Amino acid sequence: MEGDSSLLEEATAGPKLEVGEEGGDLENNTLHQPLLKRNRALSSNPLALVGAKVSHIESLDYEINENELFKHDWRSRSKFQVLQYIFFKWTLALLVGLLTGLIATFINLAVENIAGYKILAVVRFIENKRYLTGLAYFTGANILLTLFAAVLCVCFAPTAAGPGIPEVKAYLNGVDTPNMFGVTTLIVKIFGSIGAVSAGLDLGKEGPLVHIGCCIASLLAQGGPDDYRLKWRWLRHFNNDRDRRDIITCGASSGVCAAFRSPVGGVLFALEEVATWWRSALLWRTFFSTAVVVVILRAFIEICNSGKCGLFGKGGLIMFDVSDVVVTYHVMDAIPITIVGILGGILGSLYNYLLHKVLVVYNLINQKGRIHKLLLALTVSVFTSVCLYGLPFLAKCQPCHPSAREICPTNTGSGNFKQFNCPDGHYNDLATLLFTTNDDAVRNIFSSNTPEEFQTASLLIFFVLYCILGLVTFGIAVPSGLFLPIILMGSAYGRLLGIAMRSYTKIDQGLYAVLGAASLMAGSMRMTVSLCVIFLELTNNLLLLPITMIVLLVSKTVGDSFNPSIYEIILDLKGLPFLDANPEPWMRNLTVGELADAKPPVVTLCGVEKVSRIVEVLKNTTHNAFPVVDERVVPPMGLATGSTELHGLILRAHLAQVLKKKWFLTEKRRTEDWEVREKFDWVELAERDGTMEEVAVTRDEMEMYVDLHPLTNTTPYTVMESMSVAKAMVLFRQVGLRHMLIVPRYHEAGWRCSICRSLQWLGY
């Protein structure tokens, strides 16, 4: 009590209250601790780069705040205003797809031309037998490109490093991370991806494209960057967590579609992998966004096929067409197909385990500062360049087969038969896989009707190398995706398995490569439905559907028996809270009432509260919402006199708005509807205000009152104290809750509000 009194005296002297999520000194909490205390010092980085600066994590308010202002706004909306709101939602979905498609095309054009001209320059040195000069040029160019990407990420936008998919998954699960979708992050992600992929690093642009699509969606929804935000009234309707979540889901689908030219796969990826809340209207909008992306990509492919895109040609936009292959399989082929799935699950879980260990080491290196991050990225770049250039010299030159359908040999562009250091009429099969862009490497190893093209030794070298590169490359300070490295590894062991079973099965080796890539992705990422559709749209062959489904199901089942998916491992490393789809077994034996009893009582406010009390609560707690109660109310018929009414839940941000606007009363009374509408409107209260301001409250204002009734959500999700924690967790996840009120099964007449408890899941 003495500590509280001194605090109140300090408050009445005219303090400056910091408006935002954190209302005071978190360590010196003299009032009450949060019900479920958030992790103050995260074990790892909540940002995109493992080892970056730790910051607090805030949850998102997806629940509709049904206060009096919202109800009035909803009742007063005309039919035209409702149609206008729906039209603007579809317009934003259109713009998300349009911009994502254009940026994806720009990235592909830049990567293909930069990497292409770099390789052509090195080929000239090789043709003139100047091998060391070629190595120096190749390594130097890759170092410069890697340095460009790493400097952008380290110095300007650390959140742009990595794939960005785990953060998107956390956001759509209800957890926000600072600066994840800003304009700086978007710019660095675009140009950093160009630099990193052009440098020949073992990473892809697919994960970054998902992040880019989400950044575009977020910026469109809020009207632009924070400093230059458009203030159009219709845009303000989307500056809330709920609508922003839906638009970012469209961005995630558009990103996958832009990466693989897979519109249906993009929608299913968002549904299966990143989104935890779904409805039919969102399904239509995401499909519309991906359809726009496909139209944009198809238009540019037609332009580029006419030779107007430099070295771009048919490359860049991943399309591994195997539609010309006649897929024939029999019942006995289920045995090798099952083996592919089992190997994919084992190798995928092993990859997850080893990558976790590598990222822990990288975490220690990244914590040492910017120079160490840059040196780590450059070291990986040098190692990759030396391997890609030097290992093809170990392979034996193969004579070109007279029946080859492509030019053999070639050094001037993409193709299955790279001459490299071989004499005329011969090709280097290992150079075909290594001395090219990653997209062309996948296209080459997926090639069908080429049973003699790749030697077993070359495929083994390729597989081992990309297993090593896949482990050491991910986690450096550049934008990087996991899709393509895993596809490369899986396709290598799939083709090796096809060679081993050549006499047993008639399935083409190129199709074994496709199945191997699918199995390793399912074994690592644990996706099934979306991955199946993506591969079908990639390969343009529906006959692959049955065997692809078997491989994915077997691989995921095997992988799940060892460890979580790679994205869940990364989420854990970065310290991002995430609710799993399935509750833990112990949650069935624990009730929410028992869980809440283990924590201090929840902080409550009265319906008409004193300003000094609000200031005290905001300064000394980190709760995001507070139950609002009225004591000694006139009860309905049949209840005891002097009952306590649970009016609802008021958000911390709304209390901050009250103090900022100084909506104070000189006497303790309820306000009229017109009074609150003069100061506030529902759109303003629903907006997500990211600014941190200081509000000066004078001594006289501290003695005034605030009527919280009009701003209180009168319909919060409320459960009985006997509900199991497992059931509460499912409700939290599926509905996208941030708060849940717990009420007792029994109470006496005149029960006080201290019995009412609040649950904030995982403290976020």
Side-chain angles (χ1 to χ4, degrees):
M1 289 300 297
E2 186 176 341
D4 289 345
S5 301
S6 62
L7 176 66
L8 189 57
E9 290 175 4
E10 180 184 353
T12 56
K16 287 194 173 182
L17 174 66
E18 191 176 19
V19 177
E21 176 67 14
E22 303 299 330
D25 187 356
L26 301 178
E27 303 302 328
N28 300 320
N29 191 334
T30 57
L31 189 63
H32 295 295
Q33 294 292 333
L35 182 64
L36 289 178
K37 198 172 187 179
R38 75 178 66 187
N39 192 359
R40 303 293 187 208
L42 299 176
S43 60
S44 187
N45 156 33
L47 305 180
L49 177 64
V50 177
K53 184 178 180 181
V54 173
S55 64
H56 296 299
I57 297 174
E58 183 183 354
S59 187
L60 300 163
D61 293 299
Y62 290 153
E63 182 184 354
I64 294 178
N65 199 327
E66 293 186 351
N67 53 33
E68 293 301 324
L69 287 171
F70 170 81
K71 294 175 183 177
H72 177 268
D73 178 82
W74 190 255
R75 288 192 298 263
S76 61
R77 283 189 184 184
S78 64
K79 187 174 182 180
F80 172 77
Q81 289 175 317
V82 174
L83 292 176
Q84 184 185 44
Y85 172 73
I86 296 173
F87 171 77
F88 285 136
K89 268 195 170 185
W90 284 93
T91 302
L92 287 176
L94 169 68
L95 292 175
V96 168
L98 178 65
L99 293 177
T100 304
L102 291 173
I103 290 176
T105 304
F106 168 71
I107 292 175
N108 282 291
L109 282 168
V111 169
E112 287 291 311
N113 283 282
I114 293 173
Y117 283 112
K118 175 191 69 177
I119 291 174
L120 287 179
V122 176
V123 165
R124 296 190 187 98
F125 293 114
I126 295 175
E127 291 175 343
N128 296 325
K129 310 297 182 182
R130 300 171 59 186
Y131 300 127
L132 291 179
T133 307
L135 174 61
Y137 183 92
F138 186 69
T139 305
N142 288 341
I143 287 175
L144 290 177
L145 290 169
T146 304
L147 183 64
F148 171 73
V151 168
L152 286 178
C153 288
V154 171
C155 299
F156 298 100
T159 52
I165 293 179
E167 290 81 1
V168 173
K169 187 173 181 177
Y171 182 91
L172 296 179
N173 189 253
V175 179
D176 196 12
T177 50
N179 306 317
M180 200 62 218
F181 303 116
V183 65
T184 306
T185 303
L186 173 62
I187 294 173
V188 171
K189 200 79 174 187
I190 294 171
F191 290 98
S193 297
I194 293 173
V197 178
S198 301
L201 296 173
D202 183 25
L203 46 84
K205 50 187 179 292
E206 295 73 32
L209 276 174
V210 175
H211 191 188
I212 287 170
C214 294
C215 289
I216 294 170
S218 177
L219 290 170
L220 287 174
Q222 67 183 24
D226 292 334
D227 297 333
Y228 304 98
R229 186 176 298 180
L230 297 177
K231 299 298 183 181
W232 298 340
R233 179 171 179 79
W234 67 269
L235 268 178
R236 295 180 63 196
H237 286 279
F238 302 99
N239 193 21
N240 60 79
D241 292 337
R242 187 181 180 87
D243 285 320
R244 194 165 171 233
R245 171 191 61 184
D246 291 352
I247 298 170
I248 286 177
T249 304
C250 293
S253 302
S254 300
V256 174
C257 178
F260 296 106
R261 261 179 61 192
S262 174
V264 180
V267 175
L268 292 176
F269 174 82
L271 173 62
E272 180 182 10
E273 183 63 21
V274 294
T276 56
W277 186 86
W278 202 262
R279 66 181 190 277
S280 58
L282 183 59
L283 175 68
W284 282 106
R285 274 195 294 275
T286 53
F287 188 66
F288 176 62
S289 294
T290 57
V292 174
V293 174
V294 168
V295 171
I296 297 297
L297 298 182
R298 187 68 238 177
F300 275 97
I301 286 176
E302 294 296 329
I303 296 173
C304 293
N305 283 342
S306 62
K308 298 179 181 179
C309 299
L311 295 176
F312 185 78
K314 295 182 180 179
L317 295 171
I318 304 177
M319 192 65 179
F320 312 122
D321 197 330
V322 293
S323 58
D324 58 337
V325 181
V326 179
V327 182
T328 58
Y329 42 83
H330 306 283
V331 176
M332 294 304 297
D333 289 326
I335 296 176
I337 290 171
T338 304
I339 293 174
V340 172
I342 293 173
L343 283 176
I346 295 174
L347 293 177
S349 58
L350 179 62
Y351 176 76
N352 291 357
Y353 173 79
L354 295 176
L355 186 60
H356 177 268
K357 301 300 181 183
V358 172
L359 290 178
V360 171
V361 176
Y362 280 9
N363 185 24
L364 300 176
I365 297 174
N366 289 330
Q367 287 177 349
K368 296 181 182 296
R370 294 181 174 180
I371 298 298
H372 289 79
K373 296 177 186 177
L374 294 175
L375 289 176
L376 178 61
L378 295 180
T379 302
V380 172
S381 177
V382 171
F383 175 73
T384 303
S385 301
V386 171
C387 291
L388 296 182
Y389 184 89
L391 288 179
F393 286 97
L394 302 178
K396 294 181 179 180
C397 294
Q398 304 293 324
C400 293
H401 199 276
S403 62
R405 294 179 298 172
E406 297 186 15
I407 300 175
C408 180
T410 180
N411 268 332
T412 57
S414 60
N416 276 16
F417 306 97
K418 287 293 181 70
Q419 184 174 358
F420 198 63
N421 63 329
C422 295
D424 293 339
H426 293 70
Y427 71 96
N428 188 316
D429 61 340
L430 191 53
T432 301
L433 298 176
L434 296 181
F435 195 67
T436 184
T437 62
N438 288 338
D439 289 349
D440 278 338
V442 177
R443 191 174 294 105
N444 294 337
I445 203 169
F446 275 10
S447 60
S448 55
N449 299 320
T450 54
E452 306 295 335
E453 179 183 354
F454 300 106
Q455 302 302 307
T456 303
S458 298
L459 289 173
L460 279 173
I461 294 173
F462 178 80
F463 175 66
V464 173
L465 173 63
Y466 270 87
C467 286
I468 297 173
L469 293 180
L471 291 172
V472 301
T473 304
F474 188 80
I476 63 175
V478 296
S480 57
L482 281 169
F483 281 93
L484 210 59
I486 293 177
I487 288 176
L488 287 168
M489 287 185 285
S491 59
Y493 85 75
R495 190 141 192 147
L496 283 169
L497 197 60
I499 293 175
M501 297 188 175
R502 184 163 35 191
S503 59
Y504 179 79
T505 179
K506 294 182 179 180
I507 298 178
D508 189 88
Q509 292 179 19
L511 298 185
Y512 265 109
V514 174
L515 296 177
S519 68
L520 191 60
M521 289 188 71
S524 177
M525 300 180 178
R526 312 295 157 78
M527 296 187 296
T528 52
V529 180
S530 59
L531 200 57
C532 182
V533 175
I534 287 174
F535 269 89
L536 290 180
E537 291 181 299
L538 275 178
T539 56
N540 197 23
N541 197 326
L542 284 175
L543 294 175
L544 286 173
L545 179 61
I547 54 178
T548 304
M549 292 173 63
I550 294 173
V551 164
L552 293 175
L553 290 172
V554 172
S555 182
K556 183 184 185 303
T557 302
V558 173
D560 282 338
S561 63
F562 290 102
N563 51 31
S565 72
I566 186 62
Y567 291 132
E568 292 180 16
I569 291 174
I570 296 172
L571 281 169
D572 181 65
L573 275 173
K574 293 181 177 181
L576 290 171
F578 187 80
L579 291 180
D580 294 326
N582 301 311
E584 296 289 338
W586 61 266
M587 294 181 180
R588 300 286 180 189
N589 303 320
L590 186 67
T591 66
V592 291
E594 294 169 337
L595 188 64
D597 285 338
K599 300 296 178 181
V602 66
V603 178
T604 62
L605 296 172
C606 295
V608 180
E609 189 60 85
K610 209 169 185 178
V611 174
S612 59
R613 167 67 175 169
I614 296 175
V615 170
E616 181 185 19
V617 166
L618 292 180
K619 285 187 65 176
N620 292 279
T621 68
T622 57
H623 297 309
N624 179 68
F626 306 91
V628 175
V629 297
D630 285 316
E631 297 182 2
R632 294 183 295 276
V633 297
V634 178
M637 187 67 64
L639 294 182
T641 305
S643 297
T644 299
E645 175 193 4
L646 173 61
H647 190 72
L649 203 66
I650 189 166
L651 297 181
R652 184 186 196 90
H654 295 173
L655 293 175
Q657 286 281 348
V658 168
L659 297 181
K660 286 168 64 177
K661 295 198 172 190
K662 297 186 179 297
W663 191 56
F664 305 146
L665 304 172
T666 56
E667 57 184 6
K668 189 174 183 179
R669 66 176 178 86
R670 296 281 294 263
T671 55
E672 302 293 335
D673 291 343
W674 63 268
E675 292 182 90
V676 67
R677 289 199 293 271
E678 278 187 345
K679 278 283 188 179
F680 303 96
D681 63 72
W682 177 78
V683 175
E684 180 183 28
L685 289 178
E687 284 183 342
R688 185 170 180 80
D689 187 6
T691 59
M692 301 286 288
E693 302 179 21
E694 290 185 345
V695 179
V697 183
T698 65
R699 185 187 301 271
D700 293 336
E701 290 171 341
M702 283 287 190
E703 301 302 319
M704 296 183 178
Y705 296 90
V706 176
D707 181 15
L708 301 179
H709 294 97
L711 307 179
T712 301
N713 179 12
T714 56
T715 59
Y717 282 86
T718 307
V719 300
M720 300 294 294
E721 63 180 357
S722 56
M723 175 182 281
S724 69
V725 174
K727 193 173 182 180
M729 196 207 79
V730 172
L731 184 62
F732 255 89
R733 192 178 194 273
Q734 293 184 351
V735 184
L737 297 182
R738 185 172 184 176
H739 316 98
M740 179 184 290
L741 291 180
I742 306 169
V743 295
R745 294 179 62 187
Y746 308 102
H747 60 82
E748 299 176 359
W751 63 278
R752 298 187 58 81
C753 185
S754 58
I755 302 178
C756 174
R757 290 157 288 185
S758 173
L759 182 62
Q760 290 182 276
W761 198 266
L762 296 181
Y764 65 81

